[in-house]
């Protein structure tokens, strides 16, 4: 795949984060932090996601995802809650919800709909760069928040991770190379995702997880992300040490989302850790 940058060399990730910061600045002037804080305080307590994502077999985090920068439109998803319910019926251990509007066609309303529909842990998947977004996630009922190492400097990563933990949530800290895995672990991550897709270039490297898994301590839950086309890929990730896989396109485009999730989990159900 050709490296996806602007002529000046700006990566896809940098462009997404710039858009997120503009949207965030507008939201922060429209909805004062005091309101977000009050909503977060009134939200039901967060679910503990770590036990749900580790155990015998492979756990599946199924994603509510309408589009992606790499593939464009994936599915219209008129009822995110109903889709999440089908994922859970197929055995999904958690649901990931894209809330970024410009590149992924997501919204906070999608997360609210999913939270209302299912009892499993729910991940707010967005480009979190400010504590305001962490409090937003809690106000929406999220149990997990995505933190992308490549989008954050070390002090900001550590600060946001501490904020997530202080609100009782779990951070899925996403890395794509050894330096980022090291930063995630040193910051105190308890849940580390290795993304086979480098968000700066949109390139996929299916060997990334196997190459990096050994650098993740055994007490940290390991998630393999991206590039999962079906059960064979899920089984390969499990054999390489994944506790869970995060899957979007393969399940959201399936005519039978419940069966797609069940097949992914079953493919590696008996693999030894």
């Amino acid at each position: 795949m050709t490296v996806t940058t602007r002529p000046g060399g700006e990566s896809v990730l940098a462009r997404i984060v710039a858009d997120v910061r503009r949207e965030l600045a507008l939201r922060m002037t429209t909805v004062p932090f005091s309101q977000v804080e009050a909503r977060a305080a009134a939200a039901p307590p967060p679910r503990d996601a770590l036990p749900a994502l580790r155990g015998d077999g492979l756990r599946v985090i199924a994603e509510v995802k309408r589009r992606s920068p790499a593939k464009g439109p994936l599915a219209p998803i008129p009822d995110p809650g109903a889709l999440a319910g089908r994922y859970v019926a197929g055995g999904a251990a958690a649901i990931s919800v894209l809330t970024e509007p410009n590149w992924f066609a997501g919204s906070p309303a999608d997360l609210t709909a999913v939270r209302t529909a299912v009892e499993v842990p729910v991940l707010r998947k967005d480009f979190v760069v400010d504590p305001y977004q962490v409090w937003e996630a809690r106000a929406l009922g999220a149990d997990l928040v995505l933190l992308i190492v490549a989008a954050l400097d070390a002090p900001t990563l550590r600060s946001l991770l501490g904020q997530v933990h202080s609100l009782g949530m779990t951070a899925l800290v996403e890395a794509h190379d050894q330096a980022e895995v090291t930063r995630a672990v040193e910051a105190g991550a308890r849940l580390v995702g290795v993304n086979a897709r480098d968000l700066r270039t949109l390139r996929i490297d299916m060997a990334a997880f196997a190459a990096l898994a050994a650098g993740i301590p055994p007490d940290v839950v390991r998630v393999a992300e991206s590039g999962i086309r079906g059960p064979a890929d899920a089984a390969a990730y499990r054999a390489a040490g994944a506790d869970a896989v995060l899957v979007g396109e393969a399940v959201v485009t399936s005519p039978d989302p419940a069966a797609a999730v069940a097949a992914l989990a079953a493919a590696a159900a008996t693999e030894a850790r």
Side-chain angles (χ1 to χ4, degrees):
M1 181 184 290
T2 302
V3 175
T4 309
T5 60
R6 286 180 173 171
E10 187 179 19
S11 74
V12 174
L13 178 61
R15 293 163 61 189
I16 294 173
V17 169
D19 284 346
V20 166
R21 288 188 181 278
R22 282 191 288 270
E23 292 278 347
L24 177 60
L26 179 61
R27 265 197 330 278
M28 291 172 75
T29 60
T30 305
V31 183
F33 174 71
S34 59
Q35 290 185 23
V36 177
E37 186 178 29
R39 293 172 188 169
R47 293 157 176 80
D48 186 356
L50 294 181
L53 297 177
R54 176 174 243 167
D56 295 335
L58 184 72
R59 307 304 170 93
V60 177
I61 306 169
E63 194 153 80
V64 175
K65 181 178 185 179
R66 291 190 176 86
R67 73 180 321 269
S68 78
K71 295 294 184 70
L74 298 173
I77 314 181
D79 189 340
L83 176 60
R86 291 194 287 273
Y87 287 158
V88 172
I95 306 297
S96 170
V97 183
L98 268 300
T99 58
E100 195 284 323
N102 296 311
W103 295 77
F104 294 88
S107 77
D110 291 343
L111 197 153
T112 299
V114 170
R115 173 72 290 156
T116 301
V118 302
E119 294 297 325
V120 300
V122 175
L123 164 70
R124 182 191 187 178
K125 194 175 183 189
D126 209 317
F127 296 78
V128 174
V129 295
D130 189 276
Y132 184 96
Q133 294 164 287
V134 176
W135 283 87
E136 275 186 328
R138 185 77 286 274
L140 292 167
D143 309 291
L144 302 106
V145 177
L146 179 70
L147 299 178
I148 302 172
V149 175
L152 304 167
D153 60 32
T156 303
L157 173 62
R158 190 177 293 275
S159 175
L160 289 173
L161 185 61
Q163 186 71 72
V164 171
H165 290 167
S166 74
L167 291 175
M169 296 184 291
T170 302
L172 171 57
V173 184
E174 180 179 292
H176 89 282
D177 61 25
Q178 185 57 61
E180 291 179 7
V181 168
T182 299
R183 284 179 57 197
V185 172
E186 289 180 348
R190 304 166 188 165
L191 179 67
V192 171
V194 174
N195 196 343
R197 188 183 300 280
D198 182 345
L199 289 176
R200 290 169 291 207
T201 65
L202 301 186
R203 286 175 170 162
I204 286 268
D205 178 6
M206 290 296 289
F209 182 85
L212 300 177
I216 302 173
D219 61 333
V220 174
V221 178
R222 295 176 280 191
V223 181
E225 305 175 30
S226 296
I228 301 164
R229 297 157 296 185
D233 293 324
Y237 275 143
R238 176 60 178 171
D243 296 296
V245 289
L246 194 157
V247 189
E249 181 183 352
V251 292
V252 80
T253 61
S254 172
D256 189 340
V261 170
L264 292 171
T270 59
E271 289 285 344
R273 176 66 188 267

